[in-house]
Amino acid sequence: MNLQLVTIFILINYCLAVKDYLFKSCNQNGFCHRNRHYANQISLDSNFQSPYYIDFNQIKIDGDKLRGTVLKIGFDVKFPFEISVIENSFRFQLDEIRNPIEHFVNHNRYNETSKWAFNKDLSNDKADYKINDDQILMTYSDNHEVIINLNPIKFTFYYKNEEVLLINDKQFLLVEHQRSIENNKLLPQESSFNMFSDDFKDSKSDKLPLGPESIGLDFTLLGFNNLYGIPEHADSMLLKDTSGKEPYRFYNVDIFEYETDSRLPMYGSIPLLTAVKKDVSIGIFWVNSADSYIDIKKGKDSTIHWISENGILDFIIFIKDTPKEINQVYGKITGFTQLPLLSSLGYHQCRWNYNDIKDVLEVSAKFDEFEIPFDTIWLDIEYADNKKYLTWDPQNFGKPDEMLEVLERTGRNLVAIIDPHIKTGYFVSDAIISKNIGMKDNEDNTYRGHCWPGESIWIDTLNPKSQKFWDDVHKTFMISDNHKNLHLWNDMNEPSVFNGPETSAPKDNIHYGQWEHRSIHNVFGLTYHETTYNSMLSRLPEQRPFILTRSYFSGSQRTAAMWTGDNMSKWEYLKVSIPMILTSNIVGMPFAGADVGGFFGNPSKELLTRWYQAGIWYPFFRAHAHIDSRRREPYLIGEPYTSYIRDAIKLRYSLLPIFYTAFYQASISGSPILKPIFYDYYNSTNSNIFEIEDEFFLGDSGILVKPITDEEANEVEFVLPENEIFYQFTNGIIGDKINSSKFKVGINDIPMLLKGGSIIAKKERYRRSSKLMKHDPYTLIIALNIQGYANGQLYVDDGESIDSEFKMINFEFENGKLSVNSTGDFSLPIEIEKAIIVGANEVDPELGPVTIEDEKLVIKNPRVIIC
Ligand SMILES: *[C@@H]1O[C@H](CO)[C@@H](O)[C@H](O)[C@H]1NC(C)=O
Ligand SMILES: *[C@@H]1O[C@H](CO)[C@@H](O)[C@H](O)[C@H]1NC(C)=O
Ligand SMILES: *[C@@H]1O[C@H](CO)[C@@H](O)[C@H](O)[C@H]1NC(C)=O
Ligand SMILES: *[C@@H]1O[C@H](CO)[C@@H](O)[C@H](O)[C@H]1NC(C)=O
């Protein structure tokens, strides 16, 4: 959903773009302005000497950690720091010793971002330090070395003896220490812009009780020009140079009317930037949840200037051979994506709104009448009694348990929305106020603002006391524990506040621990959906909860899926959804999707068809629409489009075993579900590979896809990695080895290829939902490479419980023989009814005996088709 207020702003200010009017540019945002100013001044002065240095006398080695203090010439300030090694990666944390102030706000620098973002129980790894007069030489893990210069402060990283990364080479390090208006000495290079007040139109009332407290630092990536990550932005996958333009911003906001080619903030932020070149990949993980900007200067070497409004300086550097290893280590620290409910990988049908129980059940029945599979129907805000979350509207949704029961008969689920803004004046908000677990305003009283229900308060999910309360109200709301098919949607959790600055909460609001909202803003959404997740677990401890969140941060992948928010029914939004979802996959948040059909407006039949054909590839596959848009459930579109959309959705269902296997792999290794070409082919001599953002592999399956995102397109051209062969696989129908990467497509075509060397397992029968496919047999497609070899994997479990038994099956085809083995104890028989082999004409065309090293696998004399 989105702001209705938008219309009002548009009316008043129709000549300006809405975004310019509402959202702060770097120049308008005190801390960004000051840091950029500082960087510019320094760049102009070749004799500049940074005042910051590491005090030699205070360096202490404490086991595998090194502790010390950074001082600032001419200022009486102390910045204690710590260097450690976490998951074989370098971590730096710098704090400040501050004096208490006479104000209820916590005066320390916020240091709990990692508490929310990281996995529990991480330990430190070994490191060795040698200290000279002016340098520290640190070695850690295999092949990692850092030289730390004390004055000027500079870190030089070596990997396998190659110099790969410099930190503070440009001397942009700035830590705005605690000051007062009276005692506010500045360096000549510093600007005093908005240090103690904010003159931006909508945030003038920000009291900035702690004054300026930003941090900024530069990273120079040597020989790297291909940079990725740092979502969420409506922009290309390959990051752009921002010199003289707006930097990329992280500030989770309810953005609307966003444009492509934009560095404006969006609903979520993942502060992981990755850089890829031949044989080396680097990740910079900036552990900070405050408003932040990232300036990028690209070249042979690329420089990143990372700036945050407050908090401690905390970052981790990953240096590895491959992008895959970056995902792996990032996932070990922040958690891998959850293995989702298998049924949540099916098709989700949503709109704002389905009006009542009858409407919901009719839609469900229509899908069956038209033989279109679907798993989940969604309820937007109108199901609740007067937009009071955690209640059901007595008139239209009076008997939710009966509705759940009917849906359950065909294996279907219901998702209901529950947002963090709680209407004032009913039992949920009353309890939040009396238990003192709401977000506070800048006078430390429960904050009141406006959102969907009118006047609202916000539950403060940073407060540990919120959990028990949330568990209790969910237990009541979700009816009897017999209904396992009710799941949740957490929207508007940036948090979106209609009358707040930049559509969010005032930065000087207060959370548990007396922390300012300013410090925790970007992690708020995560605390909210995690609290919901725990409440669902407390209700049904065995079952994997499904939650969709709009706002997210590093770590959100552990407990939620995300979607890209409110889009328009236009071709360019369809197109940009692909790079956005690829970026999310590159930074460990692969359970991502975009609203199929677009949220606002009425798509043409062609656009809707193309959107479904692209949407079946979104790891999270949901159609959604605004309350004012016409109904567009696939069966309403009319022939031939309804059939094209049915074919697309059925294709998704036939590939569910492949999606699920990819999710399993993501859940243990952090690997993407949709994988850009560069990910495996970073050593390619074709430098175009790094820019390809409209084409992707589905996990490790070998399926390569290029969705059609242009109106009236009748041809597709793939960019292909060298030294591989591909088979035609359009619409999931295996064909010949391709002899051209360019081919004709019709409106009913979904262009796909299958890489030689792959074995995939599909399920081909139509069922009404994924749960009803459980016992269906598989069809293997064996696509041989030049050597006549192929392999592949299939992951199977019960699809819903947290500790399900599983089976991981390995298929291998070599010398004309298929062998199959497996690990795990899942006992459901797995039947393969058919095997199609392509490329066999280049090897022995006879399929030899099938070797099966597992009596629980049934291969019932599969029909073998050799093409
Ligand atoms: C944050 O700082 C406080 C005070 O120094 C310390 O007790 C606490 O352990 C720190 N928390 C984290 C997560 O580092
Ligand atoms: C949604 O629309 C905006 C344009 O306003 C676009 O930039 C953004 O990338 C779109 N997202 C998706 C997933 O389509
Ligand atoms: C390429 O393949 C297509 C279909 O498989 C075939 O019709 C065509 O003749 C082939 N072209 C060449 C140049 O081999
Ligand atoms: C199972 O098959 C895979 C290849 O498909 C092979 O790498 C592995 O060694 C096999 N394991 C056993 C125990 O045979």
Side-chain angles (χ1 to χ4, degrees), residues 95 101 137 151 195 227 348 392 642 704 743 753:
D95 201 344
I101 60 165
L137 171 66
N151 187 9
M195 292 186 107
L227 312 179
H348 298 262
W392 298 89
T642 293
L704 182 64
F743 50 89
L753 301 175

Side-chain angles (χ1 to χ4, degrees), residues 23-30 32 200 246 249 293 502:
F23 298 99
K24 285 177 172 177
S25 66
C26 173
N27 216 22
Q28 293 168 318
N29 209 344
C32 187
F200 185 73
E246 266 309 285
R249 183 176 178 201
Y293 288 85
E502 302 193 82

Side-chain angles (χ1 to χ4, degrees), residues 323-370:
K324 193 179 170 73
E325 290 166 276
I326 302 281
N327 282 124
Q328 213 155 35
V329 56
Y330 172 77
K332 282 184 180 162
I333 292 174
T334 62
F336 295 118
T337 198
Q338 63 174 348
L339 180 62
L341 286 173
L342 174 55
S343 68
S344 68
L345 304 185
Y347 171 59
H348 298 262
Q349 179 63 48
C350 186
R351 81 168 270 115
W352 177 26
N353 219 90
Y354 291 114
N355 302 329
D356 50 26
I357 291 184
K358 188 162 158 277
D359 192 8
V360 167
L361 298 179
E362 270 173 14
V363 170
S364 179
K366 276 286 179 198
F367 272 86
D368 297 341
E369 186 187 324
F370 283 81

Side-chain angles (χ1 to χ4, degrees), residues 173-324:
L173 173 66
L174 183 67
V175 185
E176 293 187 315
H177 56 266
Q178 192 179 24
R179 335 178 189 216
S180 59
I181 301 187
E182 302 75 43
N183 182 4
N184 181 21
K185 185 169 98 175
L186 293 177
L187 296 172
Q189 291 81 7
E190 282 183 273
S191 148
S192 63
F193 177 74
N194 276 358
M195 292 186 107
F196 295 93
S197 63
D198 185 343
D199 65 9
F200 185 73
K201 186 181 165 302
D202 289 334
S203 43
K204 284 203 168 89
S205 61
D206 184 349
K207 293 191 172 166
L208 286 151
L210 294 162
E213 27 170 14
S214 75
I215 51 173
L217 186 62
D218 60 273
F219 302 84
T220 302
L221 294 148
L222 301 172
F224 292 86
N225 187 38
N226 299 310
L227 312 179
Y228 304 98
I230 57 167
E232 183 177 11
H233 300 97
D235 209 356
S236 54
M237 178 179 77
L238 193 63
L239 298 177
K240 294 182 176 142
D241 189 304
T242 61
S243 318
K245 304 196 195 113
E246 266 309 285
Y248 288 89
R249 183 176 178 201
F250 279 141
Y251 194 61
N252 297 354
V253 287
D254 187 351
I255 191 142
F256 40 87
E257 304 262 308
Y258 50 93
E259 285 163 7
T260 52
D261 189 13
S262 164
R263 265 67 64 200
L264 278 184
M266 292 183 68
Y267 311 96
S269 19
I270 298 185
L272 172 65
L273 181 144
T274 67
V276 180
K277 67 175 183 182
K278 196 168 187 294
D279 298 327
V280 190
S281 286
I282 293 187
I284 302 171
F285 180 26
W286 179 266
V287 189
N288 188 296
S289 47
D291 192 359
S292 303
Y293 288 85
I294 302 159
D295 242 334
I296 297 178
K297 180 148 184 48
K298 289 175 59 163
K300 195 174 126 303
D301 305 329
S302 296
T303 296
I304 316 297
H305 184 195
W306 212 310
I307 305 164
S308 289
E309 184 170 14
N310 72 355
I312 61 166
L313 176 60
D314 185 356
F315 61 85
I316 302 177
I317 302 294
F318 308 122
I319 309 177
K320 299 283 180 187
D321 290 344
T322 64
K324 193 179 170 73

